[in-house]
Amino acid sequence: MDEREQLEVWALRRAEEIVLREGVGLMQAAQWLDKKLTVRTSKQLRNAICDSLLEAMAMRRLPSPQEQAQSQGKIDARP
């Protein structure tokens, strides 16, 4: 797997984590029509995206999919 493919895999996994964590919270706040919670969860989503971009820029080398899975405490069976 070349570095570009590693970047794609890393970005997809990070995006999935962010959507599952912050995205679901934002969706629920919007469904509940809670304006304050919607604003707060929007900021959390924005910050998570910014943090992941900064993390990507700071990496000297992207972790392999196996290293990512080990750091998350699970092995992904996807090819």
Side-chain angles (χ1 to χ4, degrees):
M1 182 179 292
D2 67 13
E3 191 167 332
R4 181 174 178 215
E5 290 172 331
Q6 286 182 352
L7 176 61
E8 289 175 9
V9 169
W10 178 86
L12 287 170
R13 288 187 180 188
R14 288 291 285 146
E16 182 180 29
E17 290 173 16
I18 290 168
V19 167
L20 290 175
R21 198 174 47 239
E22 282 78 17
V24 170
L26 176 58
M27 178 197 65
Q28 289 175 334
Q31 284 179 335
W32 297 331
L33 302 175
D34 186 332
K35 185 171 179 156
K36 288 182 182 179
L37 186 57
T38 299
V39 169
R40 187 169 58 239
T41 54
S42 295
K43 288 178 182 177
Q44 290 171 343
L45 178 58
R46 181 192 64 213
N47 290 340
I49 292 168
C50 289
D51 290 346
S52 69
L53 292 173
L54 292 172
E55 180 183 347
M57 290 172 51
M59 286 183 187
R60 289 185 176 196
R61 175 185 79 79
L62 290 170
S64 70
Q66 291 80 17
E67 291 170 332
Q68 289 178 16
Q70 288 172 352
S71 72
Q72 294 175 351
K74 60 183 177 183
I75 300 295
D76 193 351
R78 287 183 265 175

